[in-house]
Amino acid sequence: MKKILALALSLVMAFSLAAPAFAAVPEVDMEGISSSIGSISDDASAAVDAAGSICDNLKAEDYAAAIDSAFDFAAKLAKAIHTLVHTLADIFGFDCPFCDEDSVAGDGEDADNGNGDADTGADDEPLYETAGSVIGAEFADKAVAFAKPYPMNVDAAYVFTAPTKSIEITDIATYNVKTVVILEEGATTGKITFAADAIGNYFHQVEGFKLIINNSGAPVNVVVDGVLSWTNHTAIANIGDYIEGPYTLTVL
């Protein structure tokens, strides 16, 4: 417990000591940074208070309350870490790994777009308007396989809205398909395999092409068994450039 308290306190102290250094970063909104540091401090203090409640409940031998306090502490510590990392992401220009949005919204509130208005995301480009196949609850927790498909003229070849055990696509060829597989929120899967049998896997070089967009909330194991090529028979290099979202890669 002392180590947890020390960790939470170190987050606050690290930002307190580092705050003057932000003055050396060009084109940085110092007023925004000051506000962010205040949020980090508040969130970290809330986590410390929650940790203290665990100790108090254990001393009082109120174990049910201690368990409740432990869950409360976990949630508040996670929020404090998220706020810290997200602030660093905003300052140094990298994507926050804990969220899909560009800013952190307060509890029960929408993110502010800087003009005092809630950002509805209306200007965001939709992932797809047309899909070759939408795989939903009827295939939940099943292994799904596609042999020699040839989807044409759709934004997404396959969209999954429910979790599956695995997805296997063999000898796919596409024409004017922007994204091959989209995993929507909650549509987790064990692995996505691209297998080459008779004709191989060929993709049209559409602008903004993505092999996979993974919004499922969990990493997906991408298995390549054979060669992934463009329609001009050039092997796809840097596969990670065409995968959006968390993944691991296995090449057989």
Side-chain angles (χ1 to χ4, degrees):
M1 185 59 65
K2 291 182 179 179
K3 291 181 179 180
I4 295 175
L5 288 170
L7 174 61
L9 288 170
S10 68
L11 293 176
V12 181
M13 293 178 64
F15 251 78
S16 298
L17 294 172
F22 289 128
V25 179
E27 299 181 2
V28 170
D29 180 6
M30 294 306 298
E31 182 177 350
I33 291 174
S34 177
S35 176
S36 297
I37 292 174
S39 297
I40 294 167
S41 178
D42 291 343
D43 289 346
S45 296
V48 171
D49 291 342
S53 295
I54 299 174
C55 295
D56 292 341
N57 290 325
L58 289 174
K59 290 178 181 178
E61 297 184 356
D62 188 347
Y63 300 115
I67 293 173
D68 290 339
S69 297
F71 282 110
D72 182 48
F73 167 71
K76 289 179 178 177
L77 180 60
K79 182 180 179 182
I81 294 172
H82 184 180
T83 303
L84 170 63
V85 174
H86 197 98
T87 299
L88 290 172
D90 286 342
I91 293 170
F92 295 107
F94 62 89
D95 293 333
C96 174
F98 294 105
C99 64
D100 296 326
E101 303 298 328
D102 292 332
S103 60
V104 179
D107 292 344
E109 300 175 356
D110 292 327
D112 194 286
N113 61 14
N115 298 319
D117 299 324
D119 186 357
T120 62
D123 295 331
D124 293 341
E125 183 179 354
L127 288 179
Y128 67 95
E129 294 181 356
T130 57
S133 299
V134 178
I135 295 88
E138 66 272 24
F139 293 99
D141 301 320
K142 295 182 179 179
V144 183
F146 305 92
K148 298 181 176 62
Y150 184 47
M152 300 172 60
N153 301 317
V154 290
D155 292 325
Y158 301 104
V159 178
F160 290 82
T161 63
T164 55
K165 286 185 178 179
S166 63
I167 302 165
E168 181 171 334
I169 302 175
T170 304
D171 289 338
I172 183 173
T174 69
Y175 183 75
N176 286 339
V177 173
K178 186 174 181 180
T179 303
V180 179
V181 176
I182 294 179
L183 302 177
E184 292 193 337
E185 183 177 357
T188 55
T189 191
K191 64 180 178 179
I192 299 176
T193 301
F194 291 93
D197 186 7
I199 64 174
N201 299 287
Y202 299 96
F203 307 101
H204 197 81
Q205 287 179 285
V206 177
E207 182 179 357
F209 174 84
K210 293 294 182 183
L211 191 65
I212 298 169
I213 295 179
N214 177 19
N215 292 327
S216 69
V220 60
N221 182 21
V222 180
V223 179
V224 178
D225 185 6
V227 178
L228 301 179
S229 301
W230 301 115
T231 50
N232 61 7
H233 302 290
T234 300
I236 295 178
N238 303 320
I239 294 175
D241 292 345
Y242 306 99
I243 300 175
E244 186 174 304
Y247 74 97
T248 59
L249 179 63
T250 302
V251 179
L252 302 179

